[in-house]
Amino acid sequence: MTQRADARRNQQALLDAAAEVFVRSGVDAPVRDIAAAAGVGMGTIYRHFPTRAELIIAVYRHQVEACAEAGPRLLAADSPLVALGRWIDLFADFLVTKHGLAGLMQSDDFRPLHEYFLDRLVPVCTSLLDAAAAAGEIQGDLTAYELMRGVGNLCIGSDDRYDARRLVRLLVSGLAAPRPASP
């Protein structure tokens, strides 16, 4: 059965609102806060997501899909290196906002999400890296998994004196192929 367009929009708005609340207050935020942010009643949330685990999984999948869908769109709009940099920015934003999920990912309910994450995002990153390497914009010996793991490691932990996004930008700029010296 196909979901009505307005129901899909409501669900998307609910997932976006839940993601914002999770970033601000953690994954244990009260459901009433999510309902208020989404502009819906608590019954609407429970109708779509009977358990907190189902809501968390849906938010995570929603954001993985948004990141996966952005790759081809960015590549169509910019040079491969610029597209790669913009996608890595989105990927880093995704990782930085998921700090509250790290502990949950160890439970059996959430383990399949890591495989889903890799299955959806490694191919997108691979296509961006391949396009940038084919255009001669980067050195071609880095795998998508290595880059994503490096970005992930830079995004672990954060405080007022540490800017993960700045370090991620430095990492991406370091991928650029050396330019020939001017005569």
Side-chain angles (χ1 to χ4, degrees):
M1 177 188 342
T2 322
Q3 199 176 31
R4 289 186 348 234
D6 61 333
R8 277 193 309 276
R9 278 192 306 276
N10 289 343
Q11 188 170 355
Q12 298 303 314
L14 189 129
L15 292 172
D16 290 337
E20 289 177 28
V21 171
F22 288 165
V23 168
R24 195 172 48 249
S25 304
V27 293
D28 293 324
V31 172
R32 70 180 168 276
D33 292 355
I34 297 167
V40 300
M42 288 179 42
T44 300
I45 292 178
Y46 287 119
R47 198 168 32 258
H48 288 286
F49 309 104
T51 67
R52 179 175 297 275
E54 289 175 287
L55 176 60
I56 293 167
I57 289 168
V59 167
Y60 187 88
R61 285 178 170 267
H62 174 65
Q63 292 187 310
V64 167
E65 286 304 314
C67 196
E69 291 167 4
R73 194 173 55 249
L74 291 168
L75 192 55
D78 286 309
S79 75
L81 183 58
V82 169
L84 175 64
R86 288 186 176 161
W87 188 83
I88 291 294
D89 283 345
L90 292 173
F91 179 65
D93 285 344
F94 169 78
L95 294 176
V96 167
T97 61
K98 297 299 159 267
H99 62 274
L101 289 178
L104 289 175
M105 292 300 201
Q106 302 310 310
S107 75
D108 289 338
D109 287 339
F110 296 97
R111 258 189 214 125
L113 285 179
H114 184 67
E115 285 303 314
Y116 172 75
F117 167 87
L118 292 174
D119 290 346
R120 287 296 288 137
L121 297 183
V122 168
V124 174
C125 188
T126 298
S127 69
L128 291 163
L129 282 170
D130 288 349
E137 295 178 331
I138 66 167
Q139 303 166 45
D141 59 346
L142 183 68
T143 69
Y145 182 81
E146 290 171 321
L147 177 58
M148 291 171 62
R149 183 75 187 254
V151 170
N153 287 339
L154 291 173
C155 291
I156 294 173
S158 175
D159 61 40
D160 293 339
R161 300 177 305 168
Y162 180 73
D163 182 359
R165 288 173 181 91
R166 179 178 174 273
L167 292 174
V168 168
R169 283 191 301 273
L170 288 170
L171 171 66
V172 172
S173 68
L175 296 175
R179 296 178 189 229
S182 299

